Amino acid sequence: MGRYVIRRLLQMIPVFIGATLLIFLMVNVMGDPIAGLCGDKQCDPATAAQLRKEFGLDKPVWQQYLTYLGHIFTGDFGTAFNGQPVTELMASAFPITIRLTIVAILFEIVIGITLGVITGLRRGRPVDTGVLLLTLVVISVPIFVTGLLLQLVLGVKWHWIEPSVSGDATFGELIVPGLVLASVSLAYVTRLTRTSIAENRRSDYVRTAIAKGLPRRRVTTKHLLRNSLIPVVTFIGTDIGALMGGAIVTERIFNIHGVGFQLYQGILRQNTQTVVGFVTILVLVFLVANLLVDLLYAVLDPRIRYA
Amino acid sequence: MRGVTHARWAACAAAVALAATACGGGGGGGGGNGSGVLTSSWGDPQNPLEPANTNEVQGGKVLDMIFRGLKRYDAKTGAAENMLADKIDTSDSQNFTITVKDGWKFSNGEAVTAKSFVDAWNYGASLKNNQKNAYFFGYIDGYDKVHPEDGSQQTADTLSGLAVTGTNTFTVKLNQKFSTFPDTLGYVAYAPLPTAFFDDHAAWVKKPVGNGPYTIGSYTKGSEMALKKWDGYPGDDKAQNGGVTLKVYTDNNTAYTDLLAGNLDLVDDVPASQLKNVKSDLGDRYINTPAGIIQTLAFPFYDKKWDTSGAVKVRQGLSMAINRAQITDTIFQKTRTPATDWTSPVLGTDGGFQDGLCGDSCEYNPTEAKKLIEEGGGLPGGQIKISYNADTGSHKEWIDAVCNSINNALGNDKACVGNPIGTFADFRNQIGQHKMPGPFRAGWQMDYPLIQNFLQPLYYTNASSNDGKWSNKDFDSLVDQANAETDTAKAIKLFQQAEGVVRDNMAAIPLWYQNGSAGYSENISNVALNQFSVPVYNEIKVS
């Protein structure tokens, strides 16, 4: 088990370097960021040159990248164009997005798996067909439509919620945005669980368990669910990274000043330091989430542990 | 049927969860009651909040609340009136003696003196401070020493043209005659700065201290700024409310939704997609007033194809082929007004605005347009590409409409196409590198309400914003004469003659004047936008 973890950790290094390098190149291809700093006017050449020097933009890209990597290991993510250290931006943005992601994941786990189990156990019945239709609708409607619709109906028409989230972004305020963010994945979780449950229900060990006279509840939770959760756990695990990075749309709609907002601003203003810094962290989140998923496998299925 | 009950239970749980947020989120709204503080939408400022470094509206909004300069532009007429300036004297339009009024202080108690201005201006001009508005000090003698244009080492730290002559007086020597110079001093780049700014710059930028009617209570970067009324403010334009809380919105659609839900008092940028509903949503609480912004199509004169003798006719023809009235009506819902000159109506006729100066060239006339373009040798390369940035400002819609209008007039589906450029920075980049393949969108928001500001930076040879590199000797000499003219009325006449040269050459196609738009809640009243389309915050009353 220990060697397995170490091997996985070592694999993260090339992925990390490759991903940051790619982002670095992509942001740099977009052109000179200083040009956009002066609005519809031309920056005066002397000031522009001075700024370029200050942000190290006058050096070749590979040199910029190496300097950047070097700084990262000392925890220095550079400075955004508005004079704020990127770490400060991260300190304000990540807690909010993490809260949003937790809410979304909880929705996925609680509602997604529950609906999946129910429909999996009742394949072909009206409940199953109904939920399947519902998930189809959720998957096919783009997330910004769901978001704007809920915001309009719950926020403006019924006054159940505030249409925008305040700067504190407490858990309570994030419930609706979290549901919106989770909606599509939630539908997938439902479908995955359903298929998995339906398949395993016919397997020998379930039949044996039932034949032994175990209570139905115990068969479902201990035998059936535990084995059926492996693909679902994979999906949810990889989804953590996707949710954090993909929250841009949801965060814009509900005015959440999280990672998506900072990334959007960074891209719009071509703020290399912000974009690369945030993406670097997101890559790390993705890698760690994947590692956790693999470790969870081992917990769920002893066969993987010893392989 | 146990499963069904389970499902129903889950649905109920979700509904309860939703309802719970309603209970939890109800407290924060309103804002305007009792305390008299209003909430307003805001965007994250792009630069650190320093007067000489702020060149966009969002940061400018704050500086307008916490600073007062030598002059201030009347919110209604745009006239530059003395604020901190007691008098500004000159005999030759080049040497000015400025007297600062007594009794003004910064909100930290420090007195505003002549030195506060001179220090601030020296700081703003100095190359090593990277101030994006440094060019505002370019008319002051010695600018080339503190801000060498080629970016080499600066040979002086202070402007030789500035001298403190007394506690409240200082002199300014310009490097050329500039009769309307005093009227430019209302711009925020010329604001005075307290010694705290120079002593502990980092702390000051975190929480700026100024001399305006408001002080900054708290500032959470990227999220919210709470401005409080400053009770010790010595000026006449005291704040009529207890304070203003600026909330950063990621999207102006969300701000508008918040306004409708009663969560926000003022939105100073109604999103284009809501313009259709805004009248029925807000009624009288929707403001749509002209601002000092003009949109034009500029041309790449550095490209030989656009610098031919016949190209003037082509440009005039293109201008005639654009159905301005239809586009401003349908796409902009009348928040723009078809342009008939190269300035802005906010200047007023006394200030140099001339309704209809453009004449027939700005009237929609497809047959004449086609004729002119053919006479001028046709479109360069048979097709024009209009460049714009596709990331912000929804420019695609109107560019496509302009192209449609041109294509219809010429009876050719491929005569005009849009050329989207991914980001604004890249758009500016390509403009700066002179890579525009054809006409490109140009917008000009005035720095101060002067006709000079609409002409000189845009069309003077090698001027800072002359992106198309247009150059004309007659124009340049008329501008020089106007700047040297001490009589303001005569100076404006000369600027208008210079504008005539722009028209005769169709140096840029004027499209429309932009309005400022705002919507507000029932909590507040006496809301107006100034010529820069920024709300006059200190006059807003909270009920």
Side-chain angles (χ1 to χ4, degrees):
Chain A
M1 186 77 179
R3 275 177 67 184
Y4 174 67
V5 174
I6 290 170
R7 207 171 58 219
R8 286 301 319 262
L9 283 173
L10 285 178
Q11 279 171 358
M12 282 162 69
I13 297 172
V15 176
F16 177 76
I17 293 178
T20 45
L21 179 64
L22 260 179
I23 294 296
F24 213 86
L25 292 175
M26 270 149 73
V27 177
N28 271 281
V29 162
M30 286 158 73
D32 179 10
I34 301 295
L37 275 186
C38 292
D40 268 325
K41 300 178 178 110
Q42 197 72 37
C43 279
D44 90 273
T47 312
Q50 180 94 354
L51 283 169
R52 240 171 249 134
K53 209 162 122 195
E54 193 181 307
F55 291 106
L57 296 164
D58 53 344
K59 303 207 178 73
V61 178
W62 62 268
Q63 208 174 332
Q64 287 181 42
Y65 178 66
L66 286 184
T67 328
Y68 181 80
L69 264 193
H71 283 168
I72 280 187
F73 290 110
T74 59
D76 176 10
F77 281 86
T79 313
F81 293 151
N82 68 356
Q84 241 180 321
V86 173
T87 43
E88 212 174 273
L89 293 176
M90 288 176 179
S92 69
F94 269 101
I96 295 176
T97 299
I98 289 173
R99 278 201 290 275
L100 181 65
T101 313
I102 291 176
V103 174
I105 295 279
L106 281 180
F107 269 118
E108 279 180 29
I109 293 174
V110 176
I111 301 184
I113 295 184
T114 315
L115 285 181
V117 170
I118 292 165
T119 49
L121 290 176
R122 274 149 225 274
R123 227 155 54 125
R125 307 265 189 89
V127 197
D128 181 35
T129 329
V131 171
L132 269 186
L133 270 175
L134 201 72
T135 53
L136 190 70
V137 171
V138 172
I139 291 171
S140 52
V141 175
I143 191 162
F144 65 87
V145 175
T146 333
L148 286 173
L149 208 67
L150 280 182
Q151 183 186 43
L152 192 71
V153 174
L154 300 180
V156 180
K157 297 274 184 243
W158 296 351
H159 293 286
W160 281 18
I161 58 161
E162 303 283 343
S164 73
V165 171
S166 73
D168 306 329
T170 54
F171 274 111
E173 288 176 297
L174 291 176
I175 290 181
V176 176
L179 182 63
V180 171
L181 180 61
S183 59
V184 173
S185 302
L186 197 155
Y188 281 119
V189 168
T190 307
R191 293 189 149 207
L192 260 177
T193 317
R194 171 185 174 271
T195 321
S196 194
I197 290 264
E199 215 167 85
N200 286 336
R201 206 157 69 104
R202 289 192 303 256
S203 61
D204 296 342
Y205 66 87
V206 173
R207 225 173 349 177
T208 316
I210 295 170
K212 275 198 295 186
L214 285 177
R216 199 191 147 115
R217 191 183 197 89
R218 194 170 161 81
V219 173
T220 313
T221 51
K222 292 281 167 183
H223 293 82
L224 183 55
L225 196 57
R226 183 165 168 173
N227 280 292
S228 309
L229 276 187
I230 292 180
V232 181
V233 167
T234 319
F235 180 80
I236 294 180
T238 47
D239 209 35
I240 293 176
L243 286 179
M244 288 190 82
I248 294 186
V249 177
T250 319
E251 292 196 354
R252 260 198 94 171
I253 293 173
F254 292 99
N255 197 35
I256 301 167
H257 300 283
V259 173
F261 167 64
Q262 295 294 352
L263 264 179
Y264 177 74
Q265 293 268 327
I267 291 168
L268 215 58
R269 293 173 182 176
Q270 270 192 269
N271 218 323
T272 328
Q273 310 282 342
T274 322
V275 177
V276 182
F278 273 85
V279 172
T280 306
I281 299 288
L282 284 177
V283 168
L284 282 178
V285 170
F286 221 97
L287 291 174
V288 171
N290 266 309
L291 180 71
L292 285 179
V293 167
D294 286 357
L295 296 181
L296 255 182
Y297 271 1
V299 175
L300 286 172
D301 189 344
R303 281 173 301 177
I304 298 174
R305 206 179 310 169
Y306 302 115
Chain B
M1 288 302 279
R2 248 178 100 190
V4 181
T5 25
H6 272 300
R8 195 179 293 150
W9 184 85
C12 288
V16 169
L18 291 179
T21 43
C23 317
N33 302 330
S35 61
V37 174
L38 69 118
T39 51
S40 177
S41 67
W42 195 33
D44 201 13
Q46 192 168 9
N47 307 310
L49 283 172
E50 303 166 286
N53 204 18
T54 297
N55 56 1
E56 38 81 51
V57 179
Q58 305 304 339
K61 245 184 232 177
V62 175
L63 295 177
D64 191 50
M65 284 192 259
I66 63 168
F67 275 107
R68 285 293 179 265
L70 290 166
K71 294 249 181 186
R72 182 163 176 76
Y73 304 113
D74 186 284
K76 290 207 173 62
T77 63
E81 285 160 359
N82 281 350
M83 195 74 206
L84 265 72
D86 196 18
K87 51 184 193 279
I88 301 175
D89 296 323
T90 182
S91 52
D92 58 357
S93 290
Q94 190 163 5
N95 288 287
F96 296 84
T97 306
I98 298 172
T99 313
V100 182
K101 277 182 195 157
D102 248 339
W104 279 80
K105 52 187 198 293
F106 293 101
S107 58
N108 62 3
E110 191 189 326
V112 183
T113 62
K115 194 172 173 296
S116 319
F117 285 98
V118 171
D119 286 351
W121 296 8
N122 278 327
Y123 182 89
S126 181
L127 176 58
K128 64 169 187 275
N129 297 325
N130 292 342
Q131 302 286 292
K132 292 176 196 88
N133 286 341
Y135 65 92
F136 274 93
F137 305 98
Y139 294 107
I140 299 173
D141 213 26
Y143 179 74
D144 49 339
K145 299 271 189 328
V146 301
H147 198 114
E149 203 167 330
D150 55 359
S152 58
Q153 197 66 34
Q154 62 190 87
T155 51
D157 277 341
T158 52
L159 292 159
S160 59
L162 292 177
V164 179
T165 53
T167 321
N168 282 339
T169 52
F170 66 105
T171 56
V172 184
K173 183 173 187 284
L174 302 183
N175 50 26
Q176 64 170 83
K177 287 179 186 290
F178 185 9
S179 54
T180 44
F181 173 70
D183 288 348
T184 66
L185 297 177
Y187 191 69
V188 71
Y190 296 107
L193 286 170
T195 48
F197 177 86
F198 305 99
D199 293 343
D200 189 351
H201 184 251
W204 192 93
V205 170
K206 271 213 170 76
K207 202 175 161 185
V209 171
N211 65 329
Y214 290 95
T215 58
I216 293 173
S218 66
Y219 178 20
T220 319
K221 273 192 180 165
S223 164
E224 193 173 284
M225 179 186 272
L227 291 130
K228 288 187 305 198
K229 177 187 182 174
W230 176 31
D231 291 322
Y233 177 67
D236 299 331
D237 54 340
K238 287 187 174 44
Q240 306 288 311
N241 45 57
V244 178
T245 301
L246 299 172
K247 291 162 88 172
V248 173
Y249 278 89
T250 48
D251 187 343
N252 57 1
N253 275 298
T254 314
Y256 187 77
T257 313
D258 252 0
L259 174 71
L260 292 187
N263 221 355
L264 186 75
D265 292 323
L266 176 62
V267 169
D268 64 353
D269 178 21
V270 177
S273 53
Q274 301 288 355
L275 287 171
K276 268 176 276 175
N277 320 324
V278 69
K279 280 255 170 57
S280 59
D281 285 344
L282 297 173
D284 294 343
R285 292 179 283 113
Y286 167 60
I287 310 175
N288 180 20
T289 49
I293 306 170
I294 183 168
Q295 248 113 34
T296 60
L297 283 184
F299 294 92
F301 291 100
Y302 43 79
D303 183 346
K304 282 202 181 67
K305 284 183 296 191
W306 284 102
D307 209 15
T308 61
S309 54
V312 179
K313 281 191 173 167
V314 176
R315 291 195 292 272
Q316 281 168 342
L318 284 173
S319 174
M320 283 177 147
I322 300 169
N323 193 343
R324 293 172 179 74
Q326 194 186 37
I327 295 171
T328 50
D329 272 9
T330 51
I331 291 180
F332 294 119
Q333 307 285 334
K334 301 202 170 157
T335 58
R336 317 259 153 128
T337 314
T340 58
D341 83 336
W342 283 260
T343 65
S344 162
V346 300
L347 294 178
T349 39
D350 291 341
F353 168 67
Q354 294 174 92
D355 197 7
L357 175 80
C358 183
D360 290 343
S361 299
C362 290
E363 296 284 335
Y364 178 59
N365 187 344
T367 43
E368 183 69 16
K370 193 172 180 187
K371 210 178 100 200
L372 272 171
I373 292 173
E374 274 163 11
E375 280 174 20
L379 296 173
Q383 186 188 46
I384 58 166
K385 284 183 173 174
I386 304 183
S387 304
Y388 61 96
N389 57 307
D391 54 350
T392 48
S394 32
H395 297 301
K396 183 186 175 0
E397 292 180 2
W398 69 260
I399 295 272
D400 285 349
V402 163
C403 270
N404 248 332
S405 188
I406 292 172
N407 290 344
N408 285 342
L410 299 184
N412 173 1
D413 272 354
K414 296 196 174 69
C416 173
V417 289
N419 175 35
I421 295 173
T423 62
F424 179 67
D426 199 21
F427 177 63
R428 287 303 317 173
N429 210 7
Q430 295 190 21
I431 288 177
Q433 293 175 353
H434 302 152
K435 279 186 179 164
M436 284 292 129
F440 52 96
R441 79 156 190 98
W444 182 253
Q445 169 148 26
M446 63 177 188
D447 300 313
Y448 29 80
L450 289 178
I451 182 170
Q452 180 264 351
N453 192 238
F454 280 95
L455 298 175
Q456 194 170 351
L458 291 164
Y459 307 111
Y460 196 83
T461 303
N462 287 326
S464 56
S465 293
N466 188 347
D467 290 330
K469 291 279 162 208
W470 186 67
S471 176
N472 183 295
K473 285 201 191 78
D474 297 338
F475 177 85
D476 291 358
S477 96
L478 281 164
V479 167
D480 288 340
Q481 287 173 46
N483 278 327
E485 180 58 64
T486 34
D487 182 352
T488 317
K490 281 185 193 156
I492 288 173
K493 277 263 143 44
L494 285 162
F495 275 122
Q496 289 179 326
Q497 283 179 37
E499 196 185 340
V501 179
V502 171
R503 172 196 57 192
D504 296 339
N505 291 281
M506 197 51 90
I509 295 179
L511 293 172
W512 32 74
Y513 312 117
Q514 188 170 327
N515 288 3
S517 64
Y520 55 97
S521 73
E522 281 160 343
N523 289 334
I524 59 174
S525 57
N526 204 23
V527 185
L529 297 174
N530 66 16
Q531 288 89 351
F532 303 95
S533 75
V534 171
V536 190
Y537 285 104
N538 58 302
E539 298 199 339
I540 296 175
K541 292 196 172 79
V542 181
S543 59

